[in-house]
Amino acid sequence: MAAQAEEVDRLPPLPAGETPLVRAEGLTVHFPVRGGLWRRVRGYVRAVDNVSFRVRRGTTVGLVGESGSGKTTIGHCLVKLLRPNSGSIRYNGSEIGSLSKRAFFPYRKRIQMIFQDPFNSLNPRMSLAKILAEPLEIHFPRMSVQQRRDRAAELLEMVGLEADHLPRYPHEFSGGQRQRIGIARALAVEPDFIVCDEPVSALDVSVQAGIVNLLQDLQQELGLTYLFIAHDLAVVEHISDEVLVMKDGVIVEQAGSEEIYRNPGHPYTIKLLRAVPSL
Amino acid sequence: MLRYILRELLRRRLGAVCLIILAVLYAATILSQFLAPYLPTDQDLKHSYHPPTRIVLKDWRPHVQVYERVDPSAARYGPVEGKTVPLRFFVSGEKYRFLGLFPTKTHLFGVDEPHRVYLLGSDATGRDVFSRLLYGAQVSLSIGFIGILVTMSLGFIVGSAAGYFGRYVDFAAMRLVEFVIAIPSLYLLIALRGALAEYFDPEQMYLLIVLILSLIGWAGAARIIRGMALSLRERPFVLAAEVMGQSSGRILMRHFLPNLASYLLVAATLSIPVYILAEASLSFLGLGIQEPGTSWGLMLKQAQELKVFTLGLWWLLTPGAAIFVTVITFNMLGDVLRDIVDPRHQMTED
Ligand SMILES: Nc1ncnc2c1ncn2[C@@H]1O[C@H](COP(=O)(O)OP(=O)(O)OP(=O)(O)O)[C@@H](O)[C@H]1O
Ligand SMILES: [Mg+2]
């Protein structure tokens, strides 16, 4: 393998006194590789290796990289679906990476996730009303049944669906509509920060723009902060303020969105940019 | 979902036939005290091994042929030419509670004493086989239902917890499953029966058998459910529930259970026969239901005399036929259900 180029970090330093909403430092995740008769641990995949980045409040940070580069793994660490082997995650200045499940619970209301696969991210046996009521029951236990229904209807309208879709089931909707339902579910708890894990990669090109625009409108309206994961730069270009480029578990370049397109610094970024069909 | 399955079942001829047969069997079981002319314990030593009585029409009314012994030393009966007694409907007989609720004495049919109507003949002590079949069904047909309720619940709890939590829970659960599966089940049955029998009265034998069968049966179900849970826990909707902070118990009940429901339904339908057969085997070995209780297995045990074959007392084998029909029907229903819920056959609705 050719010698790796150094990481290129061209982000301006944070203004004095600003705490980023999310800051990850030295994040490392190793997955054991098992093999042989006894399924012994044969080695480790360094899915994420000593990764540091920050996400400023109210902005969108794009995270790009080819398949298997560790993007989802980072997302899972941020929402505590996964505990990193080492490194720290700070949310609004306080350490959350090492919190116990119980201590992390209040953050579940503030950090949400949107998933890549709209066909599997909704429970096929639950109606939209139930899907949207679930997060409300957990984080707003004092809401009445009627209040929950009203809120669910409101959420559906926020993402461009209709209130009378509530009794329907996910299979009655298209991929794009399902992704909207997934967004409504994430919004139900009124989060500040949303990890969007390739929210449009599984969708038809014709509906991708609709979802991206919806996410941008919601950001404007609700002051949301996004970590937007994608595997090609084209999608990220449109929505991000800053971009992280990832390869084999490490961030090879981070820069402002404009900057990275005008003047990519890392050979891998250049390669990614070439792969983007010019529109 | 349930409505969809029911509609699909009725749309398939085999499914509809199975459902109808089972509906008739279970309706007869529920109404057994009303349908049976006698108590299962009603003896009449003068009428042992009586053949099924013929029903004849006289003046457009059903009458029951009267028989007499042709050979006083053997159980041989012949019809008395021209002698019949009227078959009466809604006669009063032994007291019971209709559907377990309303006390009543009315039975669907009967004949005036001292004559007797034996639709399916009588056994060694002159008890009515037809009545005993109906009462026996209460045991034989319910044991499967209660059995699978216990096994499927246990199997779901252990299997889904093993699959979902993984690690030590999984390890412990699977070693336990392997332990249970490794023991030959007939041996385990007999051993458990022996070990537990002293804590149960003979009348509670039914409970004991269900308990034993469930203790054996859950392991297989748990292993399969674990496998399905392993793949379910990676599904994004389960991850989404975790991200919103849903508790593990609720994730299992709300997200796992409904998505395993169709498997559980098929598995349950296919394993009901196992319970029916196991009850029959246990009772046949003298380890199951005991007199004065009755079950199809116990009736078969009582019909294992050589006489049954030499004298052609075929009616004593009707419990075997009843078991056969029930088992076949449940198996066919399970196959049809599997076709319906199999994702490869599934169209839009799931
Ligand atoms: N649970 C796991 N166990 C073992 N290895 C894993 C696990 N999850 C991910 N990996 C490995 O970690 C690496 C990073 O995976 P990750 O899913 O984060 O990639 P990604 O960038 O999201 O890719 P994609 O674009 O395909 O979604 C891959 O090599 C993957 O095989
Ligand atoms: Mg991914």
Side-chain angles (χ1 to χ4, degrees):
Chain A
M1 202 190 250
Q4 289 275 314
E6 282 293 294
E7 179 185 339
V8 185
D9 184 353
R10 287 183 295 157
L11 285 177
L14 283 180
E18 184 187 325
T19 326
L21 188 63
V22 177
R23 180 191 282 284
E25 251 160 81
L27 208 58
T28 302
V29 180
H30 293 172
F31 289 112
V33 180
R34 290 170 191 278
L37 191 57
W38 303 104
R39 303 202 20 85
R40 247 196 288 262
V41 177
R42 284 293 164 87
Y44 292 89
V45 186
R46 296 165 162 261
V48 174
D49 197 12
N50 196 18
V51 162
S52 304
F53 62 91
R54 55 173 168 71
V55 183
R56 295 174 67 185
R57 192 181 298 274
T59 66
T60 299
V61 170
L63 176 57
V64 255
E66 65 196 353
S67 188
S69 55
K71 309 180 298 290
T72 299
T73 307
I74 288 182
H76 283 185
C77 288
L78 296 181
V79 297
K80 214 175 183 63
L81 280 173
L82 209 63
R83 182 184 276 272
N85 295 70
S86 65
S88 88
I89 302 170
R90 291 178 167 274
Y91 187 82
N92 216 0
S94 35
E95 170 64 34
I96 57 167
S98 55
L99 291 181
S100 69
K101 206 177 157 188
R102 178 169 305 205
F104 189 76
F105 183 77
Y107 292 96
R108 297 250 176 243
K109 190 178 171 304
R110 308 177 65 180
I111 307 175
Q112 275 296 307
M113 183 154 185
I114 297 168
F115 295 85
Q116 172 173 5
D117 175 3
F119 293 89
N120 270 311
S121 61
L122 306 173
N123 185 339
R125 303 262 182 255
M126 279 162 90
S127 64
L128 300 204
K130 282 206 183 128
I131 289 173
L132 295 175
E134 192 177 13
L136 298 176
E137 283 164 21
I138 298 170
H139 291 282
F140 304 94
R142 260 180 260 158
M143 266 191 178
S144 70
V145 175
Q146 188 54 46
Q147 280 171 320
R148 257 183 237 138
R149 258 200 120 64
D150 293 344
R151 174 74 175 137
E154 184 191 356
L155 285 164
L156 277 188
E157 278 160 7
M158 275 167 77
V159 297
L161 296 170
E162 283 152 41
D164 45 320
H165 288 154
L166 276 178
R168 301 225 204 142
Y169 283 80
H171 67 78
E172 299 173 54
F173 295 89
S174 69
Q177 287 173 317
R178 289 188 209 197
Q179 201 54 288
R180 287 170 192 266
I181 300 164
I183 294 171
R185 176 179 59 192
L187 291 176
V189 296
E190 301 165 15
D192 310 315
F193 177 56
I194 302 182
V195 176
C196 309
D197 188 2
E198 307 203 29
V200 297
S201 326
L203 300 179
D204 212 76
V205 184
S206 58
V207 296
Q208 287 190 355
I211 298 289
V212 170
N213 290 337
L214 171 67
L215 286 170
Q216 280 183 313
D217 293 345
L218 290 168
Q219 181 169 43
Q220 290 282 312
E221 206 177 312
L222 306 168
L224 298 168
T225 305
Y226 293 143
L227 179 72
F228 192 99
I229 300 175
H231 59 250
D232 69 76
L233 273 165
V235 180
V236 166
E237 176 180 13
H238 190 63
I239 191 170
S240 308
D241 301 296
E242 294 169 3
V243 177
L244 314 172
V245 181
M246 215 179 160
K247 185 178 191 306
D248 298 335
V250 295
I251 291 180
V252 294
E253 173 158 13
Q254 36 188 326
S257 165
E258 301 265 303
E259 180 78 8
I260 218 162
Y261 293 100
R262 253 189 296 123
N263 184 16
H266 190 278
Y268 181 67
T269 315
I270 299 170
K271 202 178 119 204
L272 270 185
L273 271 174
R274 286 227 188 87
V276 174
S278 42
L279 298 170
Chain B
M1 156 82 179
L2 251 176
R3 211 180 309 155
Y4 162 76
I5 288 181
L6 193 64
R7 198 177 60 213
E8 285 294 306
L9 259 185
L10 291 174
R11 228 170 59 183
R12 289 156 210 241
R13 193 176 304 155
L14 189 59
V17 169
C18 291
L19 267 191
I20 291 169
I21 294 176
L22 290 176
V24 168
L25 281 173
Y26 278 91
T29 309
I30 291 167
L31 299 175
S32 57
Q33 289 151 311
F34 169 67
L35 296 177
Y38 305 106
L39 282 180
T41 47
D42 248 1
Q43 299 190 346
D44 182 355
L45 293 174
K46 289 203 298 291
H47 287 122
S48 60
Y49 298 122
H50 196 287
T53 45
R54 211 178 297 153
I55 308 287
V56 292
L57 277 186
K58 226 180 206 179
D59 306 331
W60 298 105
R61 294 244 158 77
H63 281 239
V64 173
Q65 176 69 50
V66 175
Y67 292 71
E68 65 179 4
R69 254 177 213 245
V70 286
D71 178 356
S73 65
R76 290 255 174 93
Y77 296 82
V80 183
E81 218 44 65
K83 191 166 178 208
T84 61
V85 287
L87 184 69
R88 302 192 190 283
F89 290 94
F90 300 105
V91 295
S92 88
E94 291 293 338
K95 247 200 257 165
Y96 66 94
R97 282 174 176 273
F98 185 69
L99 299 177
L101 292 174
F102 321 105
T104 171
K105 282 174 151 187
T106 310
H107 293 253
L108 179 64
F109 64 92
V111 293
D112 295 333
E113 296 285 343
H115 299 286
R116 287 198 146 217
V117 53
Y118 289 124
L119 283 188
L120 287 174
S122 75
D123 68 2
T125 51
R127 297 179 297 191
D128 178 29
V129 171
F130 179 70
S131 301
R132 287 176 62 73
L133 264 183
L134 284 168
Y135 278 89
Q138 291 183 340
V139 168
S140 297
L141 291 184
S142 65
I143 216 158
F145 263 112
I146 300 182
I148 53 145
L149 216 67
V150 179
T151 9
M152 291 296 145
S153 316
L154 265 179
F156 171 74
I157 293 169
V158 175
S160 62
Y164 179 59
F165 294 110
R167 297 152 146 285
Y168 309 108
V169 181
D170 188 27
F171 185 83
M174 285 308 106
R175 295 302 85 75
L176 187 63
V177 163
E178 280 153 19
F179 176 74
V180 173
I181 288 178
I183 303 172
S185 61
L186 191 63
Y187 179 79
L188 189 59
L189 261 175
I190 294 171
L192 280 173
R193 165 68 167 71
L196 296 174
E198 57 181 302
Y199 305 106
F200 289 83
D201 298 335
E203 302 94 74
Q204 293 173 326
M205 206 45 78
Y206 174 82
L207 266 179
L208 176 62
I209 292 171
V210 173
L211 188 73
I212 292 174
L213 293 178
S214 311
L215 282 178
I216 296 172
W218 68 270
R223 190 148 68 171
I224 294 170
I225 291 167
R226 168 194 177 258
M228 303 172 100
L230 275 180
S231 72
L232 267 180
R233 82 165 172 195
E234 303 292 336
R235 298 270 295 271
F237 67 81
V238 174
L239 299 183
E242 287 172 357
V243 169
M244 67 179 77
Q246 186 61 284
S247 69
S248 306
R250 292 235 172 101
I251 287 179
L252 292 184
M253 293 313 290
R254 285 206 189 167
H255 295 282
F256 279 52
L257 184 57
N259 284 286
L260 295 172
S262 42
Y263 163 75
L264 289 174
L265 183 69
V266 173
T269 311
L270 287 173
S271 51
I272 286 179
V274 177
Y275 287 88
I276 296 177
L277 289 172
E279 180 277 319
S281 321
L282 271 183
S283 299
F284 193 79
L285 294 173
L287 299 173
I289 303 296
Q290 318 261 311
E291 289 280 356
T294 178
S295 77
W296 293 349
L298 182 63
M299 291 174 74
L300 271 186
K301 171 189 164 59
Q302 292 164 344
Q304 59 179 312
E305 287 166 78
L306 197 60
K307 216 190 289 181
V308 172
F309 298 95
T310 53
L311 296 182
L313 308 176
W314 57 267
W315 56 88
L316 290 179
L317 297 176
T318 46
I323 291 173
F324 180 78
V325 169
T326 315
V327 166
I328 289 268
T329 311
F330 269 114
N331 274 323
M332 289 195 302
L333 185 70
D335 282 340
V336 177
L337 277 176
R338 184 160 44 194
D339 275 357
I340 292 173
V341 301
D342 190 327
R344 274 168 303 179
H345 297 242
Q346 228 158 351
M347 302 302 285
T348 49
E349 215 161 346
D350 53 354

